Structures are given as structure tokens and as C-alpha cells.
Amino acid sequence: MSESVFDSRKLSDIYEEIRTVYLSDNRPWIIGFSGGKDSTCLAQLVWKALSELPSEKLQKNIYLISSDTLVESPKIVERILNSLDKIEKSAKTSHLPISTNLLRPPVSDTFWVRMLGLGYPAPTVMFRWCTEMLKINNADRFIQEKVSEYGEAIILLGMRKNESNVRNQVMDLYKIENSLLSRHSKYAQTYVYTPLEEFTAEDVWNYLLQNKNPWGEQNRDLLALYQDANAAECPLVVDTTTQSCGNGRFGCWTCTVVDKDKTLGNFIEKGDDWMETLVELRAELKDTQTPEAWEKVRERKRRTGRVELKTHGEGYTPGPYTMEFRRSYLEKLLLGQIKVQKEGPDPNMELILEEEIHEIQRIWRVEQGDWQNSAYQIYEKVTGKKLEDVQEDLGGFGEMEEKLLAQVCVTHNVPVKLVSNLLNAEFDTQGATRHSKVYGKIKNELSKEWREDMDVIMKELHEEKAQKDTVPVRKNKGKTRVASD
């Protein structure tokens, strides 16, 4: 069992250390707050330490940031929003220089826009695109803004060495000798301060349960939340060294990096039956990750428009989700949204935002030639409401033009999507200073693989690979060179 930090340090000493670091310079503090036990403990320690300083010394701004991926577990989102509201109000009342900031990804980077709009496959351990898009980039943007404004910044994180050997090694790797600060893993003008680094999980809970929450929440409610979910905290992610929030951590309800979402399951067992809808939606995404499902739900061509052989093993590397799957899942997602609004605690709960529907439709029009606006049609079919068409691309082409184009392309044996993409390239460059830019886009479209006979394509790819593998290699003066005629 790890040694308690309080065996060697007094709580008053920890408060004094925090005050010393705060007063040592004018660099702003950025506190990562996820609403879990570690970040709550960190925020409470800072609050208590600084509340004992005279007002004239509280000149340095403190930005408390929290990340909302828009697919967080609903109970966690509710708690975070309530916490941020209470912290903001209480900080003003207590005259502390603390402001709260809820960070969300831009609409172009949200989970549903990337998955249903662009066709990104459900995240896996090998392709965990969601972490960077939904979490890291949000924190990075905020940090860079503050560094640009102040020159440097200090990030406070609730990381503990006791969490794992990997975490311990990473924290030691970036530690600055004879300093309480560490280097940031990416930004030279940014430093990291971890007041909880020697705390154990038991130390964290003891502190929270023995010290009143200064912004008016009940820390025992947080403990109850952990007990109901049988979960651990999903920290604010600032780099790729942070593990996924699967395996029992509070995280996104859509997470397919792990086999089973224990948190949602435990909430359901405790009486939140309405979350069963989320489990079913997640399960359908998880089912698309098997090789057997790829033939049905994944394109054979990558987003580059080309077919690629697997680096290891037989066959090709599957591309994005098919439009058939994207349309089908969008409908199920909207049906699920209506169901949780009826059965859950919040009649206004949104699983997908209207602005995401608009962006998905824009992408489908531009990339897939979906001039009939099928995302809008699906939305109206499920909700009974009509979304206002905000599209301005392709000169207002609609369903009638799409059918006409299909007829013409069939007559001339030309891929519909190719012509649609060429039309979009032309429309996109209209009004540009140099219309010649369209030539590069045309070349890119024509260089894609438009044939549909996979047997022929695969045969050619294997022949090309075999030819490359048999090219003789010779060494000359220490350098490896490919022999040529």
C-alpha cells in the first residue's frame, strides 16, 4: 500500500506551497477540471490556499477549464455544468480571480460530424482519433490563446504518480530540477504544476470528505456518483500520454475503444433505465469494428479515393463508413434522442446538435453529391420538424438535378460521384483570384480510383507490390540504392 502524503506533510504545508507558487510570478494559471475526484480535490486545495491571501495579492488570473466532447456521459455533463456555474458565482462572491471556461470542439471536429459526415470509423485502440479531436485540441487552443496573451502560462493538473507506473514515469520525465514545475510535453512557453502528485486515491477522498466544498457542493454526492458508476475519473486530456477513458472511467458514452462500457451498465443497474438507449447505440458502433462487418458498412476505397493493400496480411484496408450506414445510423441516433427525451430526466437532451446536422449535410453535398439533402429529410422524418436549408454550395442544386445527373452519367458510363465532385470543384473556385486553382482539384479527382471491379483492382495492386518487392537492392559506399538500368 502506498504511503499517505499526510504521513510526511501537513495540510497547511500544501496550502503554503500553492500560495508560494502562485505569488512567485505573474504567469496565469489554467486549472484542468473534469468534475471528478482528483480535479475537484485540486480546485478545492487551490481555492482554500488562495482564500487566505489578502485581496491585493490576488492579482493573477486563474482559468478553470473543462472539456465537453458533446458525447459525454449525460450524468457527468450535468454535474460539470452545475459545478462550473457554482464555482463561477462563488468565486465572484469570495473575490477570487477564478473564471470558468467550458471548452467544446468546433462543429467541424465533433464526434458525429467526423463519423457520420466524413465517415470516420468508430475509434479503436489503434485509431483513437477522438481524443485529439474532442479533447486535446480544445485544451491546446485555450492554452495557446493565453500564452499568446501573457507570454507564458502554468497548467495545474490533478495527476498523481500513484495512478500507474506509466504516469509516474511521464511525470518524472518532464520534471524541472529544483523546481515544483514541469515542462509541458508540447509547448515551450507552458509549464505544469501538479499539487496532488504525491497523493494516493485514499488521500484524495479523505481530503474531500473531511473538508467542506467551498463552492457549495456536497462532496459526498460525488462519492455516491463514483459508487453508482463503479468508475474512476476521466481527466482533462492535454496530450496523448493520457489513457482512454474506457475501462470503467467516466468518459464518452460513445466510446468503442473498450469492449464494454461499465459505467453506463452500472448506472442502469442503479435505476437509470433510460440509458439503455445509449448502450444500444454504442453497441451498434462497436459491432462495425469486426472484419466481418467491414464488407457491409465500410467503403473499399479510402478517403483519398484509392484502394490500399493492408500492410500486413491479406486484403485491403477498409475506408470510411458507407453512405448507407451513415444515413441509417443518423436515423437511429435521432430516434434514440427522442426516446431519451421522453424517458430520461431532461426533455431537452440532445444526442446530436442541429448545427451538426447542418455540417453533416454540407459534407454530404460536397463529398457525396447528396443534392437531395438526405440528412435534412431524415431529420424531418424522425422529428416532424423541418430544418432550414442553409446550404449555398453547387448553386442550389437539388433532388431533381441529382436524378438528372444520374441519368446522364448512366447513359455515358461515367461515375456520378466523379461528375458531382468536378462540379463542386468548379463551383468552389468561382470568384477566386486565380481560377487556375481548379486544375489542381480536377487533377486530384481524376487521379482517384473510380473503377468498381475490385478483382481487377486488387490484382493490379498485388502485381505492383510484387514488382516492388523483387527490385534488386545494392549497397554503394554505405548507402542503400535501388538498382536501375
Side-chain angles (χ1 to χ4, degrees):
M1 183 175 178
S2 301
E3 180 182 347
S4 169
V5 67
F6 298 114
D7 289 342
S8 56
R9 301 184 69 187
K10 296 179 181 179
L11 183 56
S12 59
D13 294 334
I14 297 173
Y15 288 144
E16 184 58 35
E17 176 192 291
I18 293 172
R19 285 191 289 269
T20 300
V21 177
Y22 178 81
L23 296 172
S24 63
D25 54 55
N26 61 356
R27 292 176 291 188
W29 278 9
I30 301 173
I31 299 179
F33 183 78
S34 67
K37 70 179 191 307
D38 293 331
S39 60
T40 300
C41 180
L42 169 64
Q44 195 165 318
L45 282 169
V46 170
W47 189 297
K48 176 64 176 176
L50 300 189
S51 63
E52 297 180 11
L53 287 174
S55 58
E56 62 269 18
K57 290 190 175 182
L58 294 171
Q59 300 300 315
K60 187 161 71 174
N61 289 331
I62 299 174
Y63 302 95
L64 188 141
I65 64 173
S66 189
S67 182
D68 178 10
T69 63
L70 300 177
V71 284
E72 300 285 343
S73 176
K75 282 198 170 233
I76 307 309
V77 172
E78 180 184 11
R79 179 174 178 84
I80 290 175
L81 292 177
N82 289 337
S83 295
L84 293 181
D85 183 58
K86 290 179 178 179
I87 290 171
E88 183 82 23
K89 292 177 179 177
S90 296
K92 289 181 179 178
T93 303
S94 303
H95 304 291
L96 290 174
I98 299 175
S99 62
T100 59
N101 303 265
L102 184 65
L103 311 180
R104 286 175 170 167
V107 68
S108 59
D109 285 348
T110 67
F111 186 83
W112 297 123
V113 168
R114 288 281 162 172
M115 177 176 287
L116 300 181
L118 296 174
Y120 278 35
T124 64
V125 174
M126 298 301 293
F127 187 38
R128 202 176 120 197
W129 55 267
C130 52
T131 303
E132 187 166 347
M133 292 285 180
L134 307 183
K135 294 188 175 184
I136 295 176
N137 290 350
N138 293 335
D140 281 356
R141 278 189 293 270
F142 189 89
I143 292 168
Q144 288 176 304
E145 286 175 7
K146 296 309 169 188
V147 169
S148 177
E149 182 178 353
Y150 294 96
E152 291 184 341
I154 297 176
I155 303 173
L156 279 71
L157 299 174
M159 297 193 301
R160 297 179 291 106
K161 291 183 177 180
N162 177 256
E163 290 181 76
S164 69
N165 289 332
V166 173
R167 175 57 56 83
N168 191 355
Q169 292 170 6
V170 170
M171 292 177 73
D172 285 340
L173 177 64
Y174 292 103
K175 201 71 177 176
I176 299 173
E177 191 174 354
N178 299 321
S179 173
L180 292 170
L181 304 181
S182 302
R183 301 187 310 277
H184 191 274
S185 60
K186 286 195 289 187
Y187 303 119
Q189 296 86 6
T190 308
Y191 300 87
V192 178
Y193 176 38
T194 51
L196 300 187
E197 63 179 48
E198 301 299 339
F199 277 55
T200 64
E202 187 176 359
D203 290 334
V204 171
W205 282 121
N206 285 338
Y207 177 80
L208 290 174
L209 299 178
Q210 293 173 15
N211 293 272
K212 185 179 179 180
N213 185 293
W215 51 87
E217 290 188 319
Q218 298 297 320
N219 288 336
R220 289 193 178 275
D221 291 342
L222 178 60
L223 176 61
L225 184 64
Y226 271 80
Q227 291 172 333
D228 285 347
N230 188 27
E233 178 175 3
C234 184
L236 184 90
V237 180
V238 295
D239 57 43
T240 53
T241 63
T242 306
Q243 289 184 340
S244 165
C245 293
N247 291 319
R249 286 182 178 268
F250 290 139
C252 302
W253 67 265
T254 56
C255 183
T256 51
V257 175
V258 292
D259 291 330
K260 186 177 181 180
D261 190 317
K262 299 177 183 177
T263 302
L264 287 179
N266 285 315
F267 278 139
I268 292 169
E269 287 182 8
K270 295 290 183 178
D272 291 304
D273 295 339
W274 62 273
M275 287 191 178
E276 188 66 46
T277 299
L278 305 184
V279 173
E280 292 170 359
L281 287 168
R282 176 196 172 278
E284 180 156 355
L285 293 180
K286 187 66 181 176
D287 289 343
T288 67
Q289 296 182 326
T290 63
E292 295 76 22
W294 291 347
E295 287 288 334
K296 298 179 181 178
V297 301
R298 301 276 294 274
E299 297 281 0
R300 294 178 175 182
K301 300 170 186 174
R302 307 297 297 274
R303 279 187 50 80
T304 59
R306 295 175 176 81
V307 178
E308 295 180 10
L309 294 177
K310 286 183 178 179
T311 306
H312 303 288
E314 295 295 323
Y316 61 91
T317 301
Y321 284 131
T322 64
M323 280 298 292
E324 181 182 0
F325 174 80
R326 296 187 224 179
R327 290 189 180 106
S328 172
Y329 194 87
L330 175 59
E331 183 171 342
K332 292 176 182 177
L333 181 62
L334 289 168
L335 287 169
Q337 177 170 282
I338 291 176
K339 190 173 181 181
V340 298
Q341 288 174 345
K342 290 180 179 178
E343 300 177 357
D346 182 3
N348 298 313
M349 183 180 296
E350 292 181 296
L351 300 184
I352 182 170
L353 305 178
E354 285 188 7
E355 62 188 274
E356 292 179 282
I357 302 287
H358 285 304
E359 181 63 11
I360 288 169
Q361 184 58 75
R362 186 193 69 78
I363 293 170
W364 286 2
R365 282 179 67 89
V366 172
E367 295 192 357
Q368 303 296 329
D370 180 31
W371 300 348
Q372 61 182 302
N373 292 337
S374 57
Y376 291 157
Q377 291 178 359
I378 293 168
Y379 184 88
E380 185 175 2
K381 173 186 174 183
V382 174
T383 67
K385 302 175 185 177
K386 189 171 183 178
L387 279 182
E388 183 179 352
D389 186 354
V390 297
Q391 309 299 329
E392 297 180 353
D393 49 67
L394 290 176
F397 286 1
E399 186 174 3
M400 183 177 70
E401 288 81 6
E402 183 176 342
K403 290 180 179 178
L404 179 60
L405 177 65
Q407 292 173 1
V408 173
C409 289
V410 168
T411 301
H412 294 278
N413 194 27
V414 178
V416 176
K417 191 176 173 183
L418 168 59
V419 179
S420 172
N421 288 1
L422 291 173
L423 284 169
N424 181 70
E426 168 62 27
F427 187 86
D428 194 43
T429 53
Q430 284 184 1
T433 306
R434 294 176 57 196
H435 188 63
S436 59
K437 290 181 179 179
V438 74
Y439 299 138
K441 295 185 177 184
I442 292 174
K443 181 180 179 181
N444 180 59
E445 291 300 326
L446 295 178
S447 66
K448 294 179 180 179
E449 178 59 80
W450 292 104
R451 295 173 299 174
E452 296 298 332
D453 191 331
M454 281 297 290
D455 290 335
V456 173
I457 295 170
M458 291 295 287
K459 181 181 178 182
E460 289 181 3
L461 289 174
H462 281 296
E463 288 175 351
E464 290 176 10
K465 185 177 184 299
Q467 186 175 8
K468 289 179 181 178
D469 291 343
T470 57
V471 173
V473 176
R474 68 188 181 200
K475 291 186 177 181
N476 183 23
K477 294 184 179 180
K479 296 182 179 180
T480 301
R481 303 178 63 182
V482 178
S484 59
D485 293 336

